[in-house]
Amino acid sequence: MVNSLLAFAIYLFLSLMFFARMLPGHFFDYYIGRDTDPSLYMWSIAWWPYVVRHHAHPFLTSLIWAPHGMNLAWVTCLPLLGIVAMPLTTTLGPLATFNIIALLLPPLAAFTAFLLCRRLSGAFIPALLGGFVFGFSPYVVGQLLSHINLILIFPIPLIAYLVARRIDESLTRASFVMLLTLALSMQFLLVLEPFAAMTFIAGVMLLLALRLAPGEKRGRVISLIYEVAVAYALTAVLMSPYIYFFFAYGFPHQPLWSAILYSADLLNFVVPTSANAIGNNSFLGSIASTFPANIYEQGACIGIPLIAIATIWSRRHRSEFLTKFLIATVVVSCVLACGPFLRVAGHPVFPMPWLLIEKLPLIKSALPVRLVMYAF
């Protein structure tokens, strides 16, 4: 417990140092980020106290896009976050509440990744560094500038943590299914896009686990797939009112944004952008200027040091199933993040598997570059 509190305190201190330096004296009139997207999340945070106070419909409203109105089930309306933050929103206002949330989300993501890493490694310092790699990754830093909904990802390491507990049989089947259902429901109610992407990646990786697992472990993987499927079914039942409004009033059948534009450039895996301090170097900046999309969606920089550490570790443990599974997860995430075509310095080179994924329902609307989160 003490080590866990220490880890969270370190992450929170780093978040304040990195992101809050301009806020003293301006907590109520400055906000973390840039451009106009943060105002959507402030509106969403303020929406839920309004719903409670005026007994308004939580999803269907004519207060925006009048007179036709809007189905908020298809908008980033942040229901769970808005409800939990109500005491802050009603006392401090949505802008200050937004700042508090933005400062807490990277430490929360780092902390749940720390719990997962400590479970796997049994050591404090490696777990502390592992949590930092996830919670303060270039993906998180980039999205923090404009899309805090996409860093509402702290349940995802918790879900992996529950899977690790189930694999080592420290959780019974009933406990695992119950806790996984709660974690899935939490992620669903926080924001849908990471939930959908997580589900897709998890499905791919469980199928790969069947292929990679030795004979004696294959039955365990099959049992795990069954238990995960039960948890998803229970989650669907719990979320059925939300799902109803999601589909009942029509929905976009085509992606809103081009997958080609929002894909990771191959060089971005080793070259940072100006969202990270080292990326302000003029030489690196000239390379980063060739990357597609914008600075928020250029968060694929795993970096040479991390790649070297992963390579050395995987060579030392190459015969182990867990090593093969983790490396496969990184490779699959990075390949999918490259989108429909592999791009090098902005130039398309050859087609990639995303061309097939674009034909699938719902997931085709995802922006490929955001899947790099699972590599971290």
Side-chain angles (χ1 to χ4, degrees):
M1 178 63 74
V2 174
N3 283 347
S4 297
L5 292 174
L6 177 60
F8 183 77
I10 291 172
Y11 296 141
L12 182 59
F13 172 77
L14 291 175
S15 181
L16 294 172
M17 289 294 293
F18 292 156
F19 310 126
R21 288 174 295 171
M22 298 297 292
L23 286 182
H26 294 281
F27 205 73
F28 295 88
D29 57 347
Y30 284 16
Y31 63 82
I32 297 169
R34 58 172 68 172
D35 298 334
T36 57
D37 276 10
S39 63
L40 166 63
Y41 311 119
M42 296 177 204
W43 187 94
S44 299
I45 292 167
W47 169 246
W48 293 97
Y50 179 90
V51 167
V52 172
R53 191 164 53 248
H54 296 276
H55 308 288
H57 196 291
F59 295 121
L60 304 179
T61 180
S62 59
L63 294 178
I64 51 177
W65 292 102
H68 302 291
M70 173 68 73
N71 179 5
L72 295 179
W74 270 93
V75 179
T76 309
C77 61
L78 310 177
L80 182 59
L81 180 65
I83 292 169
V84 171
M86 277 178 56
L88 289 175
T89 308
T90 53
T91 54
L92 301 179
L95 193 152
T97 302
F98 173 89
N99 284 332
I100 293 171
I101 291 168
L103 290 171
L104 284 176
L105 289 183
L108 278 173
F111 178 67
T112 56
F114 162 82
L115 295 177
L116 171 62
C117 292
R118 188 176 60 179
R119 183 76 193 181
L120 296 176
S121 69
F124 177 76
I125 296 299
L128 187 70
L129 295 174
F132 177 83
V133 165
F134 181 75
F136 293 87
S137 66
Y139 166 86
V140 168
V141 172
Q143 298 298 346
L144 182 65
L145 292 173
S146 191
H147 309 131
I148 67 161
N149 61 313
L150 295 176
I151 58 174
L152 283 163
I153 53 175
F154 63 88
I156 295 176
L158 283 180
I159 290 167
Y161 171 83
L162 292 175
V163 171
R165 291 278 307 272
R166 179 60 183 139
I167 288 173
D168 65 21
E169 299 185 338
S170 62
L171 280 178
T172 65
R173 171 178 288 185
S175 297
F176 172 69
V177 170
M178 180 187 69
L179 292 173
L180 182 58
T181 300
L182 290 175
L184 290 171
S185 300
M186 184 192 306
Q187 184 63 69
F188 191 102
L189 289 172
L190 283 170
V191 62
L192 278 174
E193 183 177 336
F195 177 89
M198 170 193 68
T199 302
F200 174 69
I201 290 290
V204 172
M205 296 316 303
L206 284 172
L207 292 177
L208 271 177
L210 277 177
R211 176 68 181 84
L212 295 171
E216 69 274 11
K217 291 186 178 180
R218 197 161 295 149
R220 186 70 197 89
V221 175
I222 293 172
S223 177
L224 182 65
I225 291 174
Y226 167 76
E227 293 165 9
V228 170
V230 171
Y232 264 95
L234 293 173
T235 302
V237 172
L238 291 174
M239 298 298 109
S240 55
Y242 196 147
I243 295 171
Y244 169 78
F245 286 104
F246 196 74
F247 290 107
Y249 294 87
F251 56 91
H253 291 274
Q254 296 299 324
L256 298 179
W257 304 103
S258 168
I260 294 176
L261 179 60
Y262 291 96
S263 299
D265 192 288
L266 184 64
L267 294 181
N268 192 196
F269 289 105
V270 293
V271 176
T273 69
S274 59
N276 308 98
I278 193 173
N280 286 311
N281 175 278
S282 59
F283 173 70
L284 296 177
S286 65
I287 298 174
S289 67
T290 66
F291 299 161
N294 51 47
I295 194 173
Y296 318 130
E297 308 290 355
Q298 295 171 345
C301 185
I302 296 173
I304 294 174
L306 276 182
I307 293 173
I309 291 169
T311 302
I312 293 168
W313 180 84
S314 62
R315 285 177 62 85
R316 290 179 178 176
H317 300 270
R318 56 182 172 269
S319 63
E320 300 174 17
F321 165 64
L322 180 60
T323 303
K324 297 175 183 177
F325 181 74
L326 289 175
I327 295 302
T329 303
V330 174
V331 170
V332 167
S333 301
C334 291
V335 167
L336 293 178
C338 289
F341 296 92
L342 182 68
R343 301 168 73 114
V344 181
H347 302 291
V349 179
F350 54 79
M352 298 291 281
W354 194 265
L355 285 172
L356 298 176
I357 293 169
E358 285 184 326
K359 303 181 185 302
L360 299 176
L362 296 181
I363 195 64
K364 66 183 179 182
S365 297
L367 300 187
V369 68
R370 294 175 179 175
L371 297 181
V372 77
M373 179 187 75
Y374 299 94
F376 292 108

